[in-house]
Amino acid sequence: MSSVSVPPPKCLQKPLVVPHRYMFGPGPSNVPPRILKAGANPVIGHMHPEIFEIMSDIRSGIQYMFQTQNSMTFAVSGTGHAAMECAIFNTVEGGESVLSAVNGIWGERAAEMAERIGATVNTIVAPPGGFLTNADIEKALSKHRPVVFFLAHGESSTGVLHPLDGIAELCHKYNCLFLVDSVASMGGTPLHMDQQGIDILYTGSQKVLNAPPGTAPISFSERACQKIFSRRAKPVSFFLDLGWLANYWGCDGKPSRLYHHTGPVTAFYSLRESLAVLAEEGLENSWERHHKVAEYFHQGLESIGLKLFVKEKVKSKTAYSYHHCCSAWI
Ligand SMILES: Cc1ncc(COP(=O)(O)O)c(C=O)c1O
């Protein structure tokens, strides 16, 4: 008699079948063969010197993509949501005030994440398909005095690309960190983390980067690190604790690295390759390609009689709406 009471599932006796699908949303996007192939390399240990070298290449690639010199730059093992939680859980302590700009679902989710760790959360809500003015933002900052202000740059639920200029200066005037979600915009439109004064910036691997989902580039400014490393209490999540992640990614300058978690090495290979592709194309060329595609897409929609949901469509290469579908890879 068999010692197992649950038999092997019949469905697993059939071969794996995955269809080819064209994906026209902001992401996940189709992964080019070069990046798929990189991910098919042999698995090595998450503490082997060779993986540390690959992780170091990834950090350099993210610094280029984000246009930042921050040494606290790495990739979270997880999707964009993990990066959101990494940003919020490390920077915010229970009882502190957080302000979230709601111009679609991402501001709502950031607000909920901060609420779950006991922060006092306020929101400012943009009109559907529109965005907030710097005057709206300053009014809310001066009223709520948050420690962190969250804003989604490319709001994938509405298609709005939120202008960023001048917001960091306002945040810093009120002693607040500026946290930007660029999951759906990074690499597809100009963004300069250091120049624009962004304190915490993250993205995802599966959108403009055309890598599989599962890794999320993130970077913290010196100002953000100062707040994080002078917290009263440890962050609520061990997995997303910046102190541990900084050591695992070699961002803390310490000579030895400790085991924190088993990094998804094959996802790191794909991420590294996608950053190599971006570096070869050049950020400016990538921005231009996405800009042209967005224009083409908008014209196509309007030519069949549809009206754009965004209040103002692309005016320049930096504002106000975007769409990453029909990337050159498909
Ligand atoms: C703007 C934005 N932020 C965050 C996320 C969450 O990313 P993920 O689905 O990789 O967790 C998404 C996903 O579509 C997004 O578009």
Side-chain angles (χ1 to χ4, degrees):
M1 204 174 90
S2 169
S3 63
V4 295
S5 55
V6 179
K10 289 252 180 320
C11 58
L12 291 185
Q13 290 166 22
K14 289 186 278 178
L16 170 71
V17 179
V18 180
H20 189 280
R21 289 268 152 79
Y22 289 112
M23 290 183 286
F24 295 117
S29 50
N30 289 91
V31 179
R34 175 175 163 184
I35 296 174
L36 282 177
K37 201 167 152 228
N41 272 292
V43 171
I44 58 173
H46 55 288
M47 300 295 283
H48 280 153
E50 295 86 353
I51 197 70
F52 288 154
E53 208 173 310
I54 291 168
M55 289 159 81
S56 164
D57 296 346
I58 289 173
R59 291 184 59 218
S60 302
I62 299 171
Q63 284 171 328
Y64 169 65
M65 175 169 68
F66 283 12
Q67 289 295 289
T68 184
Q69 307 280 350
N70 292 334
S71 69
M72 194 61 80
T73 300
F74 60 94
V76 178
S77 301
T79 68
H81 278 85
M84 282 175 97
E85 293 201 334
C86 182
I88 294 168
F89 290 178
N90 281 288
T91 48
V92 181
E93 298 205 54
E96 287 184 329
S97 165
V98 170
L99 179 65
S100 183
V102 174
N103 60 341
I105 70 165
W106 300 106
E108 287 168 1
R109 290 214 177 167
E112 177 166 349
M113 286 170 186
E115 254 162 36
R116 283 179 184 224
I117 55 165
T120 306
V121 182
N122 289 285
T123 55
I124 20 172
V125 182
F131 51 83
L132 298 159
T133 65
N134 285 11
D136 296 329
I137 294 170
E138 175 153 27
K139 206 167 137 201
L141 287 170
S142 74
K143 181 169 172 206
H144 302 299
R145 298 295 172 136
V147 295
V148 170
F149 173 54
F150 171 91
L151 180 67
H153 182 223
E155 176 47 71
S156 47
S157 67
T158 60
V160 172
L161 185 70
H162 203 292
L164 297 178
D165 287 344
I167 300 179
E169 288 76 2
L170 293 176
C171 288
H172 299 155
K173 180 172 157 190
Y174 293 95
N175 200 22
C176 167
L177 297 172
F178 187 27
L179 163 58
V180 175
D181 174 322
S182 69
V183 172
S185 56
M186 175 55 65
T189 193
L191 226 175
H192 301 84
M193 181 174 192
D194 290 356
Q195 235 172 285
Q196 292 178 294
I198 299 166
D199 293 298
I200 309 117
L201 182 63
Y202 62 82
T203 189
S205 52
Q206 77 275 22
K207 290 196 157 67
V208 172
L209 276 175
N210 304 115
T215 53
I218 194 164
S219 181
F220 296 81
S221 71
E222 197 46 52
R223 191 186 274 108
C225 291
Q226 270 166 22
K227 164 133 181 40
I228 293 166
F229 293 121
S230 54
R231 290 174 60 103
R232 292 186 306 274
K234 288 181 181 175
V236 68
S237 166
F238 181 87
F239 181 58
L240 298 172
D241 185 318
L242 190 63
W244 281 94
L245 292 173
N247 178 265
Y248 181 46
W249 278 87
C251 306
D252 62 0
K254 293 194 181 145
S256 62
R257 302 214 199 174
L258 300 174
Y259 162 63
H260 172 243
H261 70 284
T262 307
V265 295
T266 54
F268 291 166
Y269 307 156
S270 307
L271 177 62
R272 186 203 178 278
E273 200 65 10
S274 68
L275 289 162
V277 171
L278 180 67
E280 280 166 30
E281 181 181 19
L283 268 178
E284 282 145 321
N285 292 331
S286 177
W287 297 335
E288 183 63 27
R289 177 165 57 84
H290 284 84
H291 177 66
K292 281 192 185 141
V293 168
E295 291 216 313
Y296 178 77
F297 180 63
H298 291 159
Q299 279 162 15
L301 288 178
E302 286 173 335
S303 74
I304 57 169
L306 295 176
K307 200 167 159 281
L308 295 179
F309 182 65
V310 290
K311 297 252 182 293
E312 294 187 54
K313 65 176 183 171
V314 173
K315 274 187 171 170
S316 70
K317 284 172 205 157
T318 54
Y320 296 113
S321 76
Y322 75 104
H323 205 288
H324 298 305
C325 74
C326 323
S327 125
W329 304 118
I330 31 185

